[in-house]
Amino acid sequence: MQHLLSMNHLTKQEIENFIKTARTIECDRGTLPMEQTFASNIFLEPSTRTKNSFYIAERRLGMDILDLNGVDSSVTKGETLEDTLKTLEALGVQLAVVRQPETGILQQAAQGLSSLSIINAGDGTGEHPTQSLLDLYTISKEFPSFENLRVTIAGDIKHSRVARSNAYALEKLGAKVSFVAPVPWRDESISTDYITMDEACVQSDVVMLLRIQHERHVIGGQQGDYLQEFGLTKQREQRMKDDAIILHPAPVNRGVEIESSLVECRKSRIFDQMANGVVMRMAIIQTLLKGELAYEYKNYQQQTIS
Ligand code: CP
């Protein structure tokens, strides 16, 4: 695998291998050093978690890091993303982590690259595969299997790249996915049932909340009393199954999609997701850059620890 652009491109086996590799790394048994390997982090949209967890993951793997953004790179002079990536490849960079506002342009930009791997760190309303993989890793630590696990994704589905990536991946793994969303924010291109937030809280093993993506709305404005209609209130949290968990990719808008005190409640794994993000991003980088070697090393390590 050269690039990670979409969860739709991955097989069930490949998703499971990422989870296993992350677990091996977290047990401090599977890190492959990457001296003289350059990563370029290209963030043309704001980010706190993704950008910094990639930075930490790359440093923990011993990589050298080049930061590019929309202010001080030649993107401001009209250079295309495609040409920026070709330039980095010519310079000898091995990995580009790209967040940018246009949906779907990375597929085109990745074509023709031979020695540069691209990781999609969020493209417009398209996909956010590394967020999905860290979400899956977080879920895998709580439940023995994804098979028939009931997962509800609630919020601004239409504009959420996290919802899309997770819906693709979770269904592939055998989970039962439902959505909760106000009618204008539903996405009929994904064939998933819509339920109410009250139904979701009673029946779900995982309730994943999403931020309203105001920056991607043509017409702004919140939908009525959003928290009461579509959000996670204390009353709803009390009706959740005892072992159910709450996820949120963050940033969280406290008091909008989730009552503020629930961000730190017993069921919440929101900050665990962030910690898991570093480990999973190490696993992704290692898998893309080391290929089969990472897989063999992981198997060797697992044999020696069991
Ligand atoms: N979850 C996520 O992508 O957060 P950032 O926008 O802070 O990277």
Side-chain angles (χ1 to χ4, degrees):
M1 191 189 311
Q2 186 183 352
H3 308 296
L4 176 61
L5 305 180
S6 162
M7 293 306 285
N8 228 359
H9 297 164
L10 300 183
T11 62
K12 182 171 184 262
Q13 181 71 53
E14 285 169 332
I15 295 171
E16 286 169 350
N17 282 345
F18 277 123
I19 293 171
K20 285 182 198 160
T21 304
R23 189 160 297 148
T24 309
I25 290 171
E26 189 164 25
C27 295
D28 206 16
R29 294 172 180 121
T31 306
L32 297 173
M34 299 204 191
E35 289 98 6
Q36 284 293 291
T37 308
F38 288 90
S40 179
N41 296 333
I42 306 171
F43 279 74
L44 306 178
E45 272 193 342
S47 167
T48 297
R49 277 145 292 271
T50 313
K51 183 173 182 178
N52 290 302
S53 66
F54 263 112
Y55 184 90
I56 293 168
E58 289 155 358
R59 289 300 303 134
R60 283 178 63 184
L61 289 168
M63 301 176 83
D64 291 296
I65 301 165
L66 313 172
D67 266 322
L68 280 188
N69 59 46
V71 178
D72 59 13
S73 73
S74 286
V75 170
T76 55
K77 295 183 251 174
E79 187 164 57
T80 63
L81 183 59
E82 215 165 330
D83 284 341
T84 302
L85 293 169
K86 281 185 193 162
T87 302
L88 292 169
E89 184 174 61
L91 294 176
V93 173
Q94 287 88 351
L95 175 70
V97 178
V98 185
R99 168 169 293 189
Q100 49 78 44
E102 272 188 71
T103 303
I105 67 163
L106 285 174
Q107 321 282 345
Q108 173 70 29
Q111 279 173 20
L113 296 171
S114 54
S115 60
L116 180 70
S117 288
I118 300 177
I119 296 176
N120 179 0
D123 65 317
T125 58
E127 285 215 46
H128 197 346
T130 70
Q131 179 69 46
S132 172
L133 284 165
L134 76 86
D135 293 340
L136 299 176
Y137 184 47
T138 306
I139 295 169
S140 79
K141 288 171 143 183
E142 305 285 339
F143 300 97
S145 167
F146 286 93
E147 207 64 50
N148 295 320
L149 202 70
R150 299 203 70 123
V151 181
T152 298
I153 307 176
D156 186 359
I157 303 294
K158 188 174 183 170
H159 303 98
S160 171
R161 49 202 180 199
V162 177
R164 189 160 295 99
S165 287
N166 272 322
Y168 293 153
L170 284 161
E171 300 226 335
K172 228 171 259 182
L173 294 171
K176 306 277 180 220
V177 181
S178 303
F179 287 155
V180 173
V183 173
W185 301 346
R186 294 183 178 186
D187 186 343
E188 304 305 338
S189 71
I190 315 173
S191 56
T192 300
D193 289 338
Y194 283 84
I195 59 175
T196 67
M197 195 57 176
D198 287 316
E199 289 168 331
C201 289
V202 173
Q203 70 187 40
S204 302
D205 301 297
V206 179
V207 175
M208 181 183 295
L209 302 159
L210 303 171
R211 177 180 69 86
I212 302 170
Q213 303 267 314
H214 289 291
E215 70 274 30
R216 303 191 200 287
H217 290 206
V218 180
I219 304 165
Q222 214 157 289
Q223 301 283 311
D225 188 345
Y226 186 84
L227 180 65
Q228 288 306 320
E229 271 194 77
F230 302 102
L232 189 62
T233 58
K234 276 188 199 158
Q235 288 86 344
R236 288 192 178 119
E237 185 265 341
Q238 281 160 12
R239 279 184 249 129
M240 288 173 68
K241 296 181 193 175
D242 191 52
D243 63 350
I245 60 168
I246 299 164
L247 300 182
H248 192 313
V252 175
N253 288 148
R254 289 174 185 255
V256 180
E257 65 271 14
I258 180 168
E259 207 159 314
S260 182
S261 63
L262 296 179
V263 174
E264 288 86 11
C265 77
R266 182 180 62 83
K267 290 183 166 65
S268 171
R269 299 292 181 274
I270 295 173
F271 290 97
D272 300 278
Q273 285 172 271
M274 297 175 203
N276 291 335
V278 174
V279 175
M280 178 48 82
R281 286 170 175 131
M282 289 174 74
I284 293 165
I285 294 169
Q286 204 162 268
T287 302
L288 294 192
L289 297 193
K290 298 280 185 180
E292 286 305 304
L293 177 58
Y295 187 66
E296 287 164 16
Y297 186 78
K298 175 194 71 188
N299 284 349
Y300 166 75
Q301 294 289 58
Q302 281 180 343
Q303 281 160 19
T304 58
I305 53 177
S306 55

